[in-house]
Amino acid sequence: MRHFGHIAPEVRRRLFHQEPCEFGTDSPARLLSAALGATLYSPATRPRLADDIVKQAGHGVVSMVLCLEDSIDDADVPAGEENLVRQFADLATRDSGCLPLLFIRVRTAEQIPDLVSRLGANARLLSGFVFPKFTEERGIPFLEALAHGESASGHRLFGMPVLETPELMYRESRVAALEGIARTVDKYRDRVLALRLGVTDFCASYGLRRAPDMTAYDVQIVASVIADVVNMLGRADGTGFTVTGPVWEYFRVPERMFKPLLRTSPFLEGQAVELREKLIEHAMDGLLREISLDQANGLLGKTCIHPTHVLPVHALSVVSHEEFSDAVDILRPERGGGGVLRSAYTNKMNEVKPHRAWAERTMLRAEVFGVAREDVSFVDLLAAGIPG
């Protein structure tokens, strides 16, 4: 699979200076963690789940979470498990090469070996499990169960812990909670693909809910948690993990209090005024703003609950030609001793040593999401990726 693989090759050639790479379930973990992109959540109880998965893969989705936790009623868990076994059997009859990375969000550690056993040979279609309300105490059983599931299935399985407990929200317990999580995920580093943020649960601790014209970063108590998670678990010194962006809850807004967050000029230049209006109507301007802030704060990828959110995440994850040019210049072998140079775009300073980690991350993002041509904007990428 590859990002933007659902659009025609000739369109990709027109849009990309460097096309996104191909990747699969056997790709290196570092590449897969960066390539997760917009991870689409779906309740495990959906009766035509296999059809939904294939359909969304055809629209550019590369990772999905099939949820047995908060998205379904407590009483529906057994039915959800049975449905997953049926749907994986259905998926096994189809072309596995066209399927996204599939993860199951469980409630308890005991579900992991049980589901692997019930899936049988069809567990080969599974990329791993998502662990809710992850703490040091709760996390170890999840990760041990994952190891047993991997051994039983005979193929690699990853875990994605969700950081969402009140201990992370409360100032007096946050550092100790993060230190415990850091110890746990470091011990099982080869099994942890990415860390996910449960911002809805963070807000619940204080009875909050952000409005569609506000981002997670406008809710200061949430922004402080994101900052501390990245500070302790997302470092670029080799000790950190990929941390993904929080879910965007909205897909249509009936009424606005504030002005839209999207400037008109990029859409006028791209002759896409109607696209801008559609994005605003469906609250996508707030989503686009939050994606940009995710990236500025060290997050990559995003939890998504609606298919329309996928393309904006991927379009804004593509590396611009200017970013790529800067990264290439910074990483030139002859620059190993450091120094300062003017960017090829002659609009900024590139300082080799301080900007090296940024450049390395940018090149990894360029590998999985591609590099846009010099005259291609995110508006062009959005417009090209919309299904016809």
Side-chain angles (χ1 to χ4, degrees):
M1 72 190 83
R2 71 196 309 172
H3 285 291
F4 296 92
H6 64 298
I7 65 177
E10 61 272 17
V11 177
R12 284 204 307 272
R13 287 192 292 269
R14 176 172 56 81
L15 293 172
F16 289 97
H17 170 77
Q18 173 184 302
E19 291 193 28
C21 71
E22 293 186 346
F23 58 90
T25 55
D26 59 347
S27 295
R30 181 170 178 267
L31 187 76
L32 286 182
S33 69
L36 287 168
T39 301
L40 183 63
Y41 274 54
S42 177
T45 51
R46 290 180 68 89
R48 298 182 63 86
L49 186 58
D51 291 335
D52 294 340
I53 291 169
V54 172
K55 177 183 176 181
Q56 295 307 328
H59 289 167
V61 173
V62 303
S63 64
M64 289 187 70
V65 172
L66 315 176
C67 186
L68 290 166
E69 210 231 355
D70 285 348
S71 69
I72 66 173
D73 191 274
D74 297 347
D76 292 334
V77 173
E81 293 176 342
E82 292 172 5
N83 188 53
L84 283 178
V85 174
R86 287 193 302 272
Q87 301 296 332
F88 269 75
D90 186 347
L91 288 173
T93 67
R94 312 190 191 203
D95 178 11
S96 61
C98 71
L99 299 178
L101 304 172
L102 297 175
F103 301 85
I104 297 175
R105 185 181 188 183
V106 291
R107 294 184 175 214
T108 66
E110 293 74 20
Q111 286 177 293
I112 294 173
D114 179 59
L115 283 167
V116 168
S117 175
R118 290 162 68 180
L119 289 171
N122 299 330
R124 63 183 173 82
L125 303 177
L126 188 63
S127 292
F129 291 87
V130 175
F131 313 138
K133 300 171 178 60
F134 192 89
T135 63
E136 181 177 25
E137 182 179 0
R138 282 173 53 86
I140 292 174
F142 277 121
L143 287 160
E144 289 178 344
L146 182 72
H148 289 308
E150 180 176 283
S151 177
S153 70
H155 83 279
R156 183 175 63 169
L157 292 173
F158 289 111
M160 292 199 290
V162 184
L163 311 186
E164 55 187 345
T165 58
E167 292 88 344
L168 292 174
M169 282 294 287
Y170 304 151
R171 181 183 293 273
E172 68 272 18
S173 56
R174 184 181 304 168
V175 172
L178 284 171
E179 288 175 340
I181 290 169
R183 285 191 295 267
T184 304
V185 294
D186 184 62
K187 182 179 178 182
Y188 294 89
R189 177 171 292 273
D190 60 333
R191 301 192 184 280
V192 176
L193 189 61
L195 305 176
R196 311 200 72 89
L197 291 168
V199 164
T200 301
D201 280 54
F202 288 157
C203 289
S205 298
Y206 289 86
L208 305 175
R209 185 174 192 178
R210 68 188 189 276
D213 30 27
M214 293 186 182
T215 71
Y217 302 92
D218 294 311
V219 184
Q220 290 299 301
I221 197 166
V222 170
S224 70
V225 183
I226 295 174
D228 286 343
V229 168
V230 174
N231 189 323
M232 297 183 68
L233 296 170
R235 298 177 185 180
D237 60 359
T239 66
F241 295 82
T242 293
V243 183
T244 65
V247 68
W248 181 258
E249 299 178 351
Y250 297 93
F251 40 88
R252 181 176 283 274
V253 179
E255 186 176 346
R256 288 184 166 271
M257 180 180 297
F258 301 111
K259 290 182 178 180
L261 299 172
L262 283 178
R263 291 190 302 115
T264 304
S265 54
F267 294 85
L268 289 174
E269 293 168 5
Q271 296 182 333
V273 175
E274 290 184 5
L275 174 59
R276 178 180 181 273
E277 293 173 354
K278 184 177 180 180
L279 290 170
I280 292 170
E281 178 187 355
H282 290 82
M284 297 296 185
D285 55 324
L287 170 61
L288 291 168
R289 171 73 171 161
E290 186 166 282
I291 296 166
S292 297
L293 288 169
D294 287 341
Q295 293 177 2
N297 284 278
L299 310 184
L300 181 61
K302 200 165 185 67
T303 295
C304 294
I305 48 84
H306 198 274
T308 57
H309 297 171
V310 172
L311 181 57
V313 174
H314 293 170
L316 282 179
S317 297
V318 173
V319 173
S320 71
H321 189 271
E322 181 174 346
E323 290 176 307
F324 181 71
S325 174
D326 289 339
V328 168
D329 283 348
I330 290 165
L331 295 175
R332 291 188 190 281
E334 63 269 24
R335 302 289 184 187
V340 177
L341 58 150
R342 185 176 64 171
S343 72
Y345 275 69
T346 68
N347 60 1
K348 73 178 76 65
M349 172 195 76
N350 288 327
E351 193 168 353
V352 173
K353 288 185 178 179
H355 289 146
R356 176 168 291 275
W358 168 86
E360 290 171 347
R361 286 189 169 187
T362 298
M363 293 301 281
L364 178 60
R365 184 160 57 92
E367 186 175 358
V368 294
F369 290 102
V371 178
R373 288 193 181 275
E374 190 170 359
D375 59 346
V376 170
S377 71
F378 80 94
V379 175
D380 300 307
L381 293 161
L382 280 172
I386 296 173

